[in-house]
């Protein structure tokens, strides 16, 4: 389970922490560590047709960063595993773990912290999940607070 600890007014604070929990144990990833990953961009159109470019890192890279148990998940296990994403307002969405991996998907899921070159605002951030190829963006969860990795 990942817990994003929001810091009011500090959406771009390097000490913002993501706590990762998986069967192998707990780990923490700071926003500063996330920013060392290769930056990824996904341009998507909202329901009203307005395009926006989101910047962040592939979700799988963040999940693996300090969690050996997630990094060790085999492909056969990955295809039956998922991530439950929860927003600050209680909204939930499910992402197949395979959707976060470049060996399964050309444009994998990203955890974004910028929109159109600017830090995400308090309405969307500090982090927003972006599923680039969804035609409806109901899984583009804003204000992500929990990412729970479920490996049956």
């Amino acid at each position: 389970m990942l817990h994003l600890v929001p810091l009011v007014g500090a959406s771009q604070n390097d000490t913002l922490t993501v706590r990762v929990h998986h069967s192998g144990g707990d780990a923490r990833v700071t926003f500063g560590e996330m920013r060392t990953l290769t930056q990824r961009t996904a341009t998507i159109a909202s329901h009203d047709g307005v395009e926006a470019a989101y910047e962040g890192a592939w979700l799988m890279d963040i999940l693996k960063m300090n969690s050996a148990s997630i990094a060790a998940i085999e492909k056969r296990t990955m295809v039956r595993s998922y991530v439950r994403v929860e927003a600050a307002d209680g909204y939930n969405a499910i992402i197949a773990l395979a959707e976060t991996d470049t060996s399964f998907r050309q444009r994998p899921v990203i955890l974004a912290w910028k929109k159109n070159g600017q830090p995400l605002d308090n309405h969307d951030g500090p982090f927003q999940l972006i599923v680039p190829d969804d035609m409806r963006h109901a899984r583009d969860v804003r204000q992500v607070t929990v990412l729970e990795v479920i490996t049956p």
Side-chain angles (χ1 to χ4, degrees):
M1 184 180 307
L2 291 168
H3 293 280
L4 299 177
V5 182
L7 300 175
V8 178
S11 63
Q12 299 300 294
N13 184 331
D14 280 348
T15 61
L16 185 63
T17 301
V18 177
R19 187 175 55 137
V20 180
H21 174 75
H22 188 249
S23 59
D26 290 332
R28 292 195 180 273
V29 180
T30 66
F31 178 55
E33 289 173 315
M34 287 183 222
R35 293 188 322 153
T36 67
L37 296 169
T38 301
Q39 186 169 308
R40 308 296 178 175
T41 303
T43 300
I44 61 171
S46 65
H47 65 279
D48 57 6
V50 176
E51 285 194 351
Y54 289 87
E55 299 171 45
W58 281 330
L59 181 59
M60 182 56 86
D61 289 347
I62 293 169
L63 293 174
K64 288 179 176 179
M65 191 163 217
N66 292 331
S67 179
S69 66
I70 294 172
I73 295 174
E74 296 177 350
K75 300 294 181 194
R76 289 178 181 248
T77 302
M78 187 179 295
V79 297
R80 66 178 189 262
S81 302
Y82 59 94
V83 181
R84 187 183 63 81
V85 182
E86 185 176 326
D89 64 1
Y91 185 80
N92 283 272
I94 300 293
I95 306 295
L97 193 57
E99 290 180 277
T100 70
D101 190 277
T102 58
S103 65
F104 285 95
R105 197 170 164 114
Q106 193 168 28
R107 292 179 3 130
V109 176
I110 68 171
L111 188 63
W113 49 80
K114 284 187 177 182
K115 179 180 178 181
N116 295 328
Q118 298 299 315
L120 290 173
D121 60 23
N122 288 335
H123 180 262
D124 294 330
F127 299 107
Q128 182 172 359
L129 196 78
I130 301 296
V131 186
D133 294 326
D134 280 2
M135 293 182 66
R136 293 184 175 237
H137 297 288
R139 298 189 302 163
D140 291 348
V141 180
R142 58 190 161 99
Q143 295 183 346
V144 173
T145 57
V146 178
L147 298 169
E148 181 180 5
V149 177
I150 311 295
T151 309

